[in-house]
């Protein structure tokens, strides 16, 4: 069209026209600059496309607790992993989940400053916290973590373009709320699974235990050692709250939630998986070594008024294992250490 | 292609609808099975050191959990009908105390029934349960594997001091200690809802033919063949039954 007009234009007209066209072009450029898509606009171009993640449930393990409302996806898990390791979650900005849940320490922390519950096999858990006072789904726990424990400043997440895109891709939301943050964390938490210790390999018939470990295994799984009813395989916890006779006048424990005097001193049976790595021990961290723990169960049990009946030897003060038997039991407990879990790349810090 | 005749289609569909509504009357009855637990014929009160057994020991009860399997009805002509169920009962879980068998009992007259407390060896297979609470009833592999038949737990007093007891039974070293309970209680299954109440009298575990002595058997008895055999023998009169129409 322009070319066809040219013969009818003289040079001055051409100059004027060029000026006009040039100005229009520049205006257009300016307009482009000022109209750089805002995050909200361009989020629409971020596809919501998720790939379902199938959680591997090893042989002999019970069925995990999954969520129909929050199905596992590769995108949700990857996002949850970033959040787990990012202090952006903390309303005060200096802690992440991983500050107190360190992979090399089986997602617990050994510094003794405070006693945290290790993040191990939570997909099989319905009672959370040391006193078992939080009963519900992982999603509900994580909403508590986001809204109350961390008091997450959601505007920080919403002002972070990278997170906006990741949440759009994983949950199809333009604005991040505590629900999606919790759901992403719950998805990652469902993959923090320790299922490949030496014990598991033995259980699958892939290797033998040493003579000491085998003696410890037999003690663990008979009523002399009296461990297996509460620390029941394959999770090595029954997910119940019980009073194991730490004190004659124990801490309140689950009583704080139920107000039932029968629940005084009841704390959640901790998993023994990776127990070698998760010192200090008990809800108050009173024991620093496994030797101290096993000695407590041998000779230090207090026959407190509402001690759990599964503590078979409580009236005798413990199971009376000899030092050699105690050493064998500890040798077995160490077969529950899972180096795959503590080093696996997919669970590590992505930053 | 010829279009389907709308009138024919409506007629056909209404015929189908009519068929659905004219389902033949059901020929099987509903049966509700309720589990109750008593001490001296009174409902169990948990966690109270208030009972005295045949040996004179004061005791309390905290836990009663068990499996019932192979529930079998005896027909009049000598036949047997075994329901493909196991039941898990936990006194602390009210929902577990009532089992509803909807339309599973063919109409007719029955001369009685039987069931197994626990599992016979053939049914007591390790790893058959993959979820709680049944999963937690496992019986360790080094004791023969499978599942506890029953966990009855509490405390008893000796010289004024409380001692824990775990009256746990199971198939020790593959010996079958399950208890077969046979009841010749005739009943007729008709269209009405029937209720069978199965009561466990706790005192009878400790009474006959062997007087149970907590001190003698000790707190843990899972690896004690004599104790397992005694439980099997004493189980003969633990259950009683009531049928209501």
């Amino acid at each position: 069209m322009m070319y066809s007009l040219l013969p009818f234009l003289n040079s001055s007209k051409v100059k004027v026209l060029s000026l006009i066209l040039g100005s229009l072009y520049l205006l257009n450029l300016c307009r482009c600059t000022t109209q750089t898509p805002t995050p909200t606009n361009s989020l629409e171009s971020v596809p919501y496309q998720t790939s379902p993640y199938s959680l591997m449930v090893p042989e002999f393990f019970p069925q995990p607790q999954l969520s129909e409302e929050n199905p596992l996806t590769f995108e949700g898990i990857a996002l949850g992993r970033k959040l787990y390791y990012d202090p952006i979650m903390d309303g005060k900005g200096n802690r992440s989940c991983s500050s107190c849940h360190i992979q090399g320490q089986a997602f617990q922390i050994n510094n003794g400053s405070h006693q945290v519950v290790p993040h191990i096999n939570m997909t099989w858990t319905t009672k959370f916290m040391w006193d078992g006072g939080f009963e519900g789904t992982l999603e509900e726990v994580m909403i508590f973590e986001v809204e109350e424990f961390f008091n997450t400043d959601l505007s920080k997440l919403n002002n972070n373009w990278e997170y906006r895109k990741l949440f759009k891709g994983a949950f199809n939301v333009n604005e991040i709320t505590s629900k999606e943050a919790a759901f992403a964390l719950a998805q990652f938490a469902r993959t923090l699974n320790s299922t490949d210790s030496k014990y598991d390999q033995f259980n699958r018939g892939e290797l033998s235990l040493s003579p000491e470990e085998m003696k410890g295994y037999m003690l663990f799984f008979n009523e002399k050692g009296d461990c297996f009813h509460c620390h029941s395989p394959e999770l090595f916890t029954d997910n119940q709250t019980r009073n194991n006779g730490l004190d004659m006048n124990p801490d309140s424990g689950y009583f704080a939630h139920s107000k039932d005097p029968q629940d005084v001193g009841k704390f959640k049976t901790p998993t023994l998986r990776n127990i070698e790595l998760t010192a200090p021990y008990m809800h108050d961290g009173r024991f620093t070594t496994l030797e101290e723990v096993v000695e407590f169960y041998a000779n230090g049990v207090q026959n407190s008024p509402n001690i759990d009946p599964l503590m078979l030897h409580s009236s005798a003060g413990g199971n009376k294992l000899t030092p050699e038997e105690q050493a064998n039991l500890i040798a077995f407990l160490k077969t529950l250490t899972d180096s795959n879990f503590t080093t696996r790349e997919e669970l590590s810090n992505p930053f | 292609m010829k279009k389907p005749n709308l009138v024919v289609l409506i007629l056909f569909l209404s015929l189908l609808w009519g068929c659905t509504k004219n389902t033949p009357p059901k020929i099987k009855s509903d049966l509700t099975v309720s589990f109750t637990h008593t001490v001296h014929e009174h409902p169990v009160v948990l966690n109270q050191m208030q009972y005295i057994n045949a040996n004179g020991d004061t005791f309390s009860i905290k836990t009663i959990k068990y499996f019932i399997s192979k529930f079998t009805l005896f027909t009049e002509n000598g036949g047997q009908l075994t329901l493909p169920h196991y039941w898990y009962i936990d006194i602390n879980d009210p929902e577990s105390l009532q089992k509803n068998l909807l339309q599973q009992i063919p109409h007719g007259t029955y001369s009685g029934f039987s069931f197994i407390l626990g599992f016979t060896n053939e049914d007591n297979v390790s790893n058959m349960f993959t979820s709680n609470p049944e999963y937690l009833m496992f019986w360790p592999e080094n004791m023969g594997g499978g599942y506890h038949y029953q966990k009855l737990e509490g405390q008893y007093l000796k010289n004024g001091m409380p001692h824990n007891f775990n009256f746990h039974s199971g198939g020790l070293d593959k010996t079958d200690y399950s208890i077969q309970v046979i009841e010749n209680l005739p009943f007729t299954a008709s269209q009405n809802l029937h209720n069978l109440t199965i009561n466990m009298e706790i005192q009878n575990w400790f009474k006959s033919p062997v007087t149970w002595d907590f001190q003698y058997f000790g707190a843990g008895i899972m690896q004690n063949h004599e104790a397992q055999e005694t439980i099997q023998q004493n189980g003969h009169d633990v259950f009683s039954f009531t049928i209501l129409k």
Side-chain angles (χ1 to χ4, degrees):
Chain A
M1 188 78 170
M2 286 277 284
Y3 291 108
S4 62
L5 283 172
L6 282 177
F8 305 98
L9 297 171
N10 58 32
S11 63
S12 62
K13 284 178 181 170
V14 170
K15 280 178 188 165
V16 172
L17 192 66
S18 305
L19 257 173
I20 293 169
L21 285 174
S23 310
L24 279 174
Y25 175 72
L26 279 174
L27 262 176
N28 205 37
L29 269 185
C30 290
R31 207 175 62 186
C32 282
T33 316
T34 53
Q35 286 215 339
T36 299
T38 61
T40 309
N41 287 340
S42 51
L43 265 182
E44 285 160 17
S45 64
V46 176
Y48 167 56
Q49 198 169 20
T50 55
S51 320
Y53 178 95
S54 179
L55 192 70
M56 203 269 292
V57 181
E59 200 178 1
F60 313 129
F61 275 69
Q63 288 304 308
Q65 309 280 335
L66 298 175
S67 166
E68 282 182 20
E69 200 190 351
N70 185 27
L72 292 175
T73 64
F74 281 93
E75 293 75 10
I77 293 166
L79 173 54
R81 179 182 171 199
K82 273 178 79 89
L83 295 175
Y84 192 89
Y85 284 95
D86 194 341
I88 196 171
M89 293 304 292
D90 187 359
K92 292 177 187 156
N94 50 22
R95 295 170 305 170
S96 66
C97 304
S98 63
S99 303
C100 296
H101 299 278
I102 298 162
Q103 185 182 16
Q105 296 170 26
F107 294 94
Q108 206 246 21
I109 188 166
N110 304 143
N111 69 7
S113 60
H114 56 297
Q115 186 64 330
V116 303
V117 179
H119 286 173
I120 301 173
N121 296 343
M122 285 190 290
T123 191
W124 286 281
T125 303
T126 51
K127 279 190 176 187
F128 298 87
M129 312 298 167
W130 264 107
D131 61 7
F134 200 117
E135 291 182 65
T137 64
L138 253 180
E139 280 70 20
E140 288 165 337
V141 176
M142 291 306 176
I143 283 173
F144 162 80
E145 297 289 344
V146 173
E147 292 184 348
E148 294 182 48
F149 183 79
F150 278 123
N151 194 16
T152 303
D153 180 354
L154 290 166
S155 66
K156 281 199 220 165
L157 283 175
N158 278 302
N159 288 332
N160 184 308
W161 179 231
E162 183 65 22
Y163 274 122
R164 292 284 292 276
K165 284 193 293 183
L166 290 172
F167 273 96
K168 175 72 196 299
F171 295 101
N172 201 22
V173 288
N174 289 324
E175 185 176 350
I176 304 160
T177 70
S178 52
K179 179 187 167 187
E180 293 82 34
F183 275 30
L185 284 170
Q187 289 200 32
F188 178 61
R190 281 210 169 81
T191 68
L192 294 174
N193 298 333
S194 175
T195 61
D196 197 25
S197 64
K198 184 175 183 180
Y199 162 80
D200 295 298
Q201 292 161 28
F202 161 74
N203 218 17
R204 298 194 297 259
E206 295 166 9
L207 50 73
S208 305
L209 298 183
S210 74
E212 292 75 23
E213 290 164 349
M214 198 62 210
K215 285 179 195 165
Y217 169 93
M218 297 302 281
L219 281 169
F220 189 93
F221 286 106
N222 69 26
E223 287 185 306
K224 183 174 186 186
D226 192 29
C227 313
F228 65 93
H229 276 120
C230 304
H231 296 288
S232 47
E234 298 303 320
L235 300 170
F236 288 86
T237 169
D238 58 1
N239 280 308
Q240 306 290 310
T241 50
R242 299 185 183 278
N243 175 355
N244 64 344
L246 282 173
D247 301 294
M248 277 310 278
N249 297 301
D251 293 343
S252 59
Y254 192 65
F255 169 77
H257 304 275
S258 70
K259 303 300 177 198
D260 180 349
Q262 292 290 333
D263 291 332
V264 172
K266 283 189 181 177
F267 290 90
K268 204 184 130 175
T269 310
T271 179
L272 297 186
R273 286 186 171 273
N274 301 291
I275 195 70
E276 181 184 9
L277 307 175
T278 57
Y281 304 107
M282 304 298 159
H283 68 277
D284 52 6
R286 67 177 65 188
F287 300 129
T288 53
T289 65
L290 278 179
E291 284 74 14
E292 287 175 24
V293 175
V294 172
E295 171 58 24
F296 156 73
Y297 281 114
N299 299 301
V301 175
Q302 304 295 306
N303 200 18
S304 62
N306 62 331
I307 191 162
D308 198 284
L310 288 171
M311 294 292 295
L312 277 178
H313 310 287
S314 58
S315 56
N319 57 21
K320 303 296 175 192
L321 296 191
T322 64
E324 187 186 345
E325 287 168 331
Q326 292 184 33
N328 290 335
L329 187 57
I330 290 169
F332 170 69
L333 292 176
K334 289 182 178 177
T335 70
L336 296 169
T337 303
D338 181 354
S339 58
N340 180 340
F341 179 61
T342 55
T343 58
R344 198 185 312 156
E345 173 72 22
E346 307 92 84
L347 307 182
S348 65
N349 190 338
F351 294 104
Chain B
M1 195 172 126
K2 199 181 168 186
K3 281 186 184 174
N5 185 319
L6 196 63
V7 177
V8 172
L9 194 69
I10 290 170
L11 275 174
F12 179 70
L13 286 174
S14 61
L15 207 68
L16 274 183
W17 178 249
C19 286
T20 322
K21 289 191 84 172
N22 288 332
T23 309
K26 62 181 180 184
I27 53 156
K28 292 185 176 177
S29 299
D30 300 335
L31 177 68
T32 307
V33 184
S34 306
F35 290 89
T36 56
H37 307 86
T38 55
V39 177
H40 289 314
E41 299 175 9
H42 291 96
V44 167
V45 180
L46 296 173
N47 303 313
Q48 297 295 318
M49 191 65 87
Q50 64 180 36
Y51 300 126
I52 299 175
N53 68 8
N55 197 48
D57 293 325
T58 303
F59 71 102
S60 67
I61 300 165
K62 190 181 183 76
T63 306
I64 307 173
K65 299 171 179 174
Y66 54 98
F67 286 111
I68 296 287
S69 66
K70 276 201 165 79
F71 186 80
T72 301
L73 297 169
F74 304 137
T75 60
E76 266 192 320
N77 57 11
Q80 293 191 355
L81 171 70
T82 301
L83 299 176
H85 297 279
Y86 73 87
W87 290 321
Y88 172 76
I89 295 106
D90 176 355
I91 196 172
N92 281 304
D93 175 10
E95 277 186 26
S96 76
L97 301 178
Q98 183 165 310
K99 314 294 180 186
N100 297 313
L101 301 172
L102 300 179
Q103 295 192 42
Q104 290 182 32
I105 314 296
H107 285 183
T109 305
Y110 295 91
S111 59
F113 55 86
S114 70
F115 59 80
I116 303 289
L117 175 78
F119 299 103
T120 59
N121 262 7
E122 110 188 270
D123 289 344
N124 200 8
V125 180
S126 295
N127 303 308
M128 65 176 164
F129 295 121
T130 57
S131 58
N132 291 337
E134 295 91 336
Y135 185 85
L136 290 172
M137 291 290 278
F138 83 100
W139 186 268
E141 289 303 311
N142 51 324
M143 297 184 201
Y147 292 85
H148 285 71
Y149 306 152
Q150 175 176 246
K151 292 180 180 178
L152 169 61
E153 297 161 6
Q155 291 193 313
Y156 67 96
L157 290 180
K158 208 74 192 178
N159 301 324
M161 187 184 187
H163 298 258
N164 288 336
F165 71 83
N166 284 191
F167 191 84
H168 288 195
S169 59
L172 175 57
D173 303 331
K174 304 279 185 200
T175 305
D176 192 333
Y177 288 116
S178 65
I179 299 170
Q180 187 180 29
V181 178
I182 300 174
E183 179 64 22
N184 296 314
L185 182 64
F187 71 98
T188 304
S190 62
Q191 275 190 319
N192 301 324
L193 178 77
H194 301 269
N195 181 274
L196 166 65
T197 299
I198 300 180
N199 183 62
M200 178 190 281
E201 170 56 51
I202 305 301
Q203 286 288 16
N204 289 6
W205 284 119
F206 306 130
K207 202 163 71 180
S208 155
V210 179
T211 302
W212 186 271
D213 183 345
F214 286 121
Q215 194 86 343
Y216 171 74
F217 284 112
I221 53 168
M222 290 174 69
Q223 291 158 277
N224 183 335
H225 280 280
E226 184 194 351
Q228 295 300 327
E229 200 177 329
T230 302
I231 293 173
Q232 190 182 37
Q233 290 171 0
N234 282 7
H236 72 96
D237 62 349
V238 159
F239 292 101
S240 61
F241 310 92
T242 315
I243 288 187
L244 294 174
K245 265 193 181 176

